[in-house]
Amino acid sequence: MSQLDQTLLPEDRLMSVFAAASSGISEPLAEGVTLRVGAAGSGKADQLLASARAAGGWTFFHHAGLGGESHNPELFLWRLLGALRRHCGFRDTLPMDAAVMREALPNWLARAAAGGGVSIVLADAQELSTGGLEPSLDWLPSWLPKGVRIALSTRPGPSAELFRDVADQVVEPAAATDLAQLRGQLRGLLDDALAREVMEYLWAARGGLGRGELAALTGSDVSAALERLAPFTRSDGEHWILAGDWIRETAASRRLADHGERQRLHQRLAEHKLARPEQEILLLQIWHLAAAGRQDLLPDALLSPRWLGWMVEPSLRFESLRYWRRAGKIEPIVEQMDKLAETGELGSAGMLGMVRLATAIADRPCPRSWLSQGLALSVSDSADADKAAFMELLGTHPDTAEPERLQWLKEALALREAEHGASHTLTAGLRHQLAVHHEEQDDLASARTVYRAGIVNLEERGAERNAELIPWLNNLAGVHKALGELKEADELLRRALKLAREELGQGHPTTASCCDQLAGVQYMAGQYETAEGLYREALEITEAAFGPDHAATAAGLNNLATVLDARQQYAQAEKLYRRALQMRLSLHGEHHSDTASSLHNLATALEASGKTDEAEQLFRRALDAWDKISGQDSAAFATTLLGLADLLRDRGAWADAEALYRSDIEIWRQLVGSRHPHTLSALLGLARLYVEGGKPELGEPLLLHVTETAQEVVGKTDALYMESAGLLGALLRDAGRTEEAKRVLETALAAQSDQLGMLTAPAQKLRRLLESLNQRPQKLH
């Protein structure tokens, strides 16, 4: 089974069998949410499937009334995301937490829809419920991108009224179904003992049963019984299932009305050895033990070395997680696993599976000792794949010392390359991990080398036109950007955007992300007009994909407002900032990092428009929010504090501004050191305060320090250096030291000629200042 196929569960067979036997002709399914209301037995599911097929594109089908875990909302989401992942070839890790799955679904749907129409058919939607009282609707996104069609079917009643509230169109049945007659026909068939036994086993089975399996369970030839039951079952020729929830209700209305009889039936199926792959046999055995109420047997089954060895497979890990989460407390489970690890009986595969499972259960790294044990076992087992996995886990474990982490990652990468080749998915994933590690250690040169190697390997595999290259190009561009190498970053991001548009489509969320990243580099280079166009494109794609009230749309509004602010289009910027702020307040509340950022950004725009009273209020609200979110010693608090200091300086509140500048400088020194650009920016603000406040003798030494240090730290092409040099040049000019001013400005401008930002706003400001000096008449001595 390939890695993309390791998300399948028995319910996938249920749906496949039902859909394979479904036929019919219907009008094409419309975009949006379609609700079909009809009595049991009216063929709603078949009609919706026919409509989806008529609409074309890709169809996902789920019937919540077919037994097993088909009623489980969490499993429905798992199936849906797994199917999207297989259909679209997504490389994203499939989430195993219901909340994370719900959060991921809008993005995955938008990406899928960009490649063609998508239909999601949920039959008997009223059965999809966690507690069995009210149908689950929290999986349904509030916004559907163009090309997405969702079809729901339900019986009349209270559930139907809930679904009507979310439906764009409702289809009522043309004629009622005589359900009483159908039930009577089925009850007549159940008078036959063998037919009843077959129906009961099909009711209890998870994923259907084959003819031979039914014969072994009943001890009889079931061919004639299956033929008589054909109107109430579905089959693909290999497996049989019951065809709907009302049929299941009728089949269980006799002996299975007794709960004890149901448990005995599940116990019988748990003990019976089906002719299935070993993994599926154990999966079904555990499920039937749980259904039989044998909680006493579950821990041993779930912690058996064989089962744990399969926890590297997503579907089986998802199954285990569901059982362990029902158990409630996490610590006793981890303690049981720790004792099992001490026995040394698991082998490397069992240890690796237990590590994966424990990490998912506890949502934190497993004990590091497990990894050391697993590595030793993988060496003794000669299991190189497990060995590489344990090395990677050791290299990313928080308790591993820094020099050792890098060594583990390098050794793991060498093993993966030897086993799979340089361009294999597993190798690429580990290479990316290594690059990220270098970035985290601020070793950008090494990160750049590793990202370049990843791109070369993909290109050698023939992926020059493959969308797989996009994240690698963007990541490498990010390193160049951090190094101040904007030309190199620009080239990589343009290539990534071209690939996204051509391979994924103009409306794909990845295309929006590429626009956004390229716009960021253009903004840094002062190419505001180009940045604005890219930000507008990103916003248009994002809003179409996720809707006008999504967090991603708010981020797009904020980005576009930022560049409009830089272009001094303050009214437009203010409008967008206000919309983004209201969205974030609605989504997150006041004390959230996104909201605090919007408060800060709107304050800067208002300040530039002269609306300083409201700007000051917003800066203070942002400071209060940052205080509660990250504390007064955080970078976010310091950034907003600097904004407030600048505003007070511009309003002439010199003493208040000076106190804030000094506090800000101290925060930055404690956080990043005295030579960091953030600290230098705060010093530059204080220097400007002294210059504008009539104390140039205090401002000049600060400006000299900032200019010289910025030249060493960020280079002469950085905006910080240019702003400091410009202010120093102006101070020297005003002091009558024209030649000194010229030298400062000429030195600053000389570095701009070969840069992407040749005509940036800061560079133009320096040039204008120098030209004004050159045009001044020389004093006669």
Side-chain angles (χ1 to χ4, degrees):
M1 187 185 300
S2 72
Q3 189 174 9
L4 284 176
D5 292 331
Q6 292 175 359
T7 58
L8 297 174
L9 290 168
E11 285 68 25
D12 288 281
R13 182 184 296 118
L14 280 177
M15 309 311 157
S16 175
V17 170
F18 188 98
S22 178
S23 61
I25 300 174
S26 185
E27 291 294 317
L29 194 62
E31 290 192 1
V33 179
T34 298
L35 174 66
R36 182 175 282 273
V37 181
S42 61
K44 303 183 296 296
D46 292 314
Q47 292 159 0
L48 287 180
L49 265 173
S51 293
R53 288 165 177 164
W58 176 76
T59 297
F60 169 81
F61 173 70
H62 187 91
H63 195 310
L66 294 185
E69 293 290 322
S70 63
H71 67 282
N72 188 316
E74 189 175 359
L75 182 133
F76 162 73
L77 268 175
W78 171 269
R79 285 198 64 244
L80 175 54
L81 290 177
L84 284 166
R85 186 172 182 268
R86 290 190 298 274
H87 171 67
C88 300
F90 294 159
R91 294 294 171 185
D92 311 53
T93 299
L94 191 55
M96 296 201 177
D97 177 79
V100 181
M101 285 192 276
R102 288 193 294 269
E103 185 179 343
L105 182 58
N107 178 274
W108 289 32
L109 281 177
R111 289 156 65 189
V118 172
S119 296
I120 298 169
V121 176
L122 174 58
D124 275 355
Q126 78 280 353
E127 299 295 323
L128 195 72
S129 172
T130 301
L133 297 176
E134 191 172 279
S136 173
L137 275 172
D138 59 0
W139 63 271
L140 185 65
S142 58
W143 174 271
L144 296 179
K146 184 176 177 58
V148 174
R149 302 172 287 267
I150 292 181
L152 311 171
S153 73
T154 186
R155 297 180 184 180
S159 295
E161 299 313 307
L162 286 175
F163 291 125
R164 287 180 194 274
D165 291 339
V166 300
D168 296 302
Q169 47 269 331
V170 179
V171 180
E172 305 283 357
T177 302
D178 192 345
L179 183 60
Q181 182 179 353
L182 290 172
R183 284 189 187 275
Q185 183 183 350
L186 178 55
R187 289 194 182 104
L189 291 171
L190 295 180
D191 290 337
D192 177 78
L194 180 58
R196 184 177 66 246
E197 194 173 9
V198 167
M199 291 290 279
E200 288 172 348
Y201 275 121
L202 290 178
W203 176 90
R206 181 183 179 187
L209 291 168
R211 187 191 303 270
E213 292 167 340
L214 284 165
L217 286 163
T218 61
S220 305
D221 182 351
V222 297
S223 298
L226 288 173
E227 188 174 340
R228 291 196 302 275
L229 293 169
F232 307 101
T233 61
R234 293 279 174 108
S235 174
D236 60 0
E238 295 183 10
H239 297 89
W240 275 258
I241 66 171
L242 299 185
D245 62 331
W246 74 269
I247 297 171
R248 292 178 55 76
E249 291 168 5
T250 307
S253 63
R254 299 209 177 174
R255 287 191 302 183
L256 298 185
D258 177 6
H259 185 68
E261 193 63 41
R262 295 186 182 192
Q263 289 186 319
R264 283 189 287 275
L265 189 60
H266 281 297
Q267 182 76 37
R268 170 87 173 93
L269 284 167
E271 295 167 353
H272 183 74
K273 300 296 183 185
L274 298 173
R276 305 280 176 90
E278 188 179 3
Q279 292 177 345
E280 187 176 356
I281 290 173
L282 191 49
L283 180 153
L284 293 172
Q285 182 183 48
I286 291 171
W287 186 80
H288 282 297
L289 285 174
R294 297 303 308 270
Q295 306 301 322
D296 55 319
L297 299 178
L298 282 180
D300 287 343
L302 290 168
L303 292 176
S304 67
R306 195 69 173 157
W307 181 251
L308 287 174
W310 292 328
M311 290 301 98
V312 294
E313 295 195 11
S315 61
L316 302 183
R317 190 160 68 250
F318 174 73
E319 277 287 293
S320 277
L321 280 172
R322 294 195 304 114
Y323 295 117
W324 287 121
R325 282 170 179 160
R326 289 174 196 167
K329 295 181 180 179
I330 300 301
E331 291 307 322
I333 300 169
V334 177
E335 287 174 11
Q336 283 182 276
M337 292 181 174
D338 203 29
K339 291 177 182 177
L340 189 58
E342 291 174 1
T343 67
E345 298 174 357
L346 287 179
S348 64
M351 279 296 296
L352 182 58
M354 190 167 76
V355 166
R356 303 289 193 205
L357 180 60
T359 302
I361 291 173
D363 195 28
R364 63 174 184 264
C366 71
R368 190 179 183 280
S369 59
W370 293 11
L371 305 181
S372 299
Q373 272 182 276
L375 181 60
L377 287 168
S378 68
V379 172
S380 63
D381 293 347
S382 299
D384 283 350
D386 293 347
K387 183 179 176 182
F390 281 116
M391 286 178 169
E392 180 180 1
L393 289 165
L394 281 164
T396 55
H397 198 281
D399 293 341
T400 301
E402 184 41 50
E404 197 180 348
R405 294 177 68 156
L406 180 59
Q407 189 59 36
W408 284 127
L409 290 173
K410 286 183 174 179
E411 289 186 31
L413 180 58
L415 265 180
R416 287 265 167 84
E417 285 184 332
E419 184 177 2
H420 301 293
S423 59
H424 190 275
T425 303
L426 289 173
T427 309
L430 189 46
R431 183 177 288 108
H432 177 264
Q433 189 78 256
L434 178 60
V436 169
H437 174 80
H438 285 309
E439 285 190 86
E440 290 172 346
Q441 298 305 308
D442 207 26
D443 184 0
L444 298 181
S446 295
R448 179 175 55 193
T449 300
V450 176
Y451 280 132
R452 281 176 176 166
I455 291 171
V456 169
N457 287 323
L458 282 171
E459 290 172 337
E460 288 176 349
R461 200 179 75 189
E464 299 94 339
R465 305 292 308 160
N466 196 308
E468 281 184 67
L469 266 177
I470 293 173
W472 289 89
L473 294 168
N474 286 337
N475 288 336
L476 178 56
V479 173
H480 282 296
K481 178 180 172 183
L483 287 167
E485 298 165 352
L486 298 187
K487 286 182 69 174
E488 291 83 352
D490 179 79
E491 291 170 4
L492 290 163
L493 292 172
R494 287 184 185 279
R495 183 181 172 192
L497 177 56
K498 186 172 186 290
L499 266 177
R501 285 170 171 162
E502 293 176 354
E503 301 300 318
L504 299 176
Q506 188 64 43
H508 198 283
T510 299
T511 304
S513 176
C514 289
C515 286
D516 184 82
Q517 293 187 64
L518 179 56
V521 168
Q522 295 296 312
Y523 179 87
M524 285 183 66
Q527 304 297 318
Y528 299 138
E529 185 175 354
T530 304
E532 180 184 341
L534 289 164
Y535 277 138
R536 287 191 183 280
E537 182 179 350
L539 177 59
E540 182 180 351
I541 297 169
T542 300
E543 192 161 2
F546 304 119
D549 301 317
H550 194 273
T553 303
L557 288 165
N558 183 77
N559 291 340
L560 178 56
T562 300
V563 77
L564 291 172
D565 193 349
R567 298 192 72 187
Q568 300 182 355
Q569 297 176 14
Y570 300 126
Q572 292 183 53
E574 178 186 338
K575 182 179 178 181
L576 295 181
Y577 277 141
R578 287 191 187 279
R579 183 181 164 199
L581 174 60
Q582 289 307 311
M583 289 169 63
R584 286 172 165 176
L585 283 168
S586 176
L587 288 166
H588 310 301
E590 179 99 359
H591 299 137
H592 186 277
S593 57
D594 287 348
T595 309
S597 295
S598 281
L599 287 166
H600 174 103
N601 292 338
L602 178 56
T604 61
L606 291 171
E607 181 188 7
S609 300
K611 303 174 183 177
T612 54
D613 289 342
E614 186 182 359
E616 181 178 346
Q617 293 173 10
L618 290 171
F619 273 133
R620 294 190 184 280
R621 280 176 64 187
L623 282 174
D624 179 65
W626 288 127
D627 185 19
K628 291 180 171 60
I629 296 163
S630 54
Q632 293 189 11
D633 295 329
S634 66
F637 185 91
T639 300
T640 297
L641 189 64
L642 181 59
L644 179 58
D646 288 342
L647 180 143
L648 293 175
R649 181 199 70 213
D650 292 341
R651 295 180 73 176
W654 309 111
D656 291 342
E658 181 177 3
L660 293 184
Y661 279 127
R662 291 190 178 280
S663 297
D664 198 57
I665 290 164
E666 187 55 34
I667 295 172
W668 284 122
R669 279 178 175 157
Q670 293 294 324
L671 286 173
V672 294
S674 60
R675 290 172 58 82
H676 193 278
H678 292 327
T679 310
L680 297 176
S681 293
L683 284 166
L684 179 60
L686 181 59
R688 188 181 292 276
L689 171 74
Y690 289 141
V691 172
E692 294 176 358
K695 299 179 181 179
E697 70 281 2
L698 296 178
E700 183 176 347
L702 287 177
L703 288 173
L704 285 168
H705 169 72
V706 172
T707 304
E708 291 171 2
T709 310
Q711 178 180 337
E712 297 169 5
V713 174
V714 294
K716 294 181 181 179
T717 60
D718 190 84
L720 173 63
Y721 170 82
M722 288 189 282
E723 184 179 355
S724 181
L727 188 56
L728 179 59
L731 182 150
L732 294 170
R733 175 201 63 189
D734 294 343
R737 295 150 65 183
T738 305
E739 293 304 315
E740 290 180 66
K742 283 183 180 180
R743 284 196 297 272
V744 169
L745 298 174
E746 287 169 350
T747 300
L749 279 168
Q752 308 304 311
S753 58
D754 294 327
Q755 294 299 314
L756 181 66
M758 169 62 189
L759 298 178
T760 65
Q764 289 175 339
K765 188 174 181 179
L766 289 176
R767 179 167 292 170
R768 286 194 296 270
L769 182 57
L770 180 60
E771 288 172 351
S772 70
L773 289 174
N774 289 329
Q775 291 167 4
R776 277 188 171 190
Q778 298 296 311
K779 290 184 179 179
L780 296 176
H781 298 282

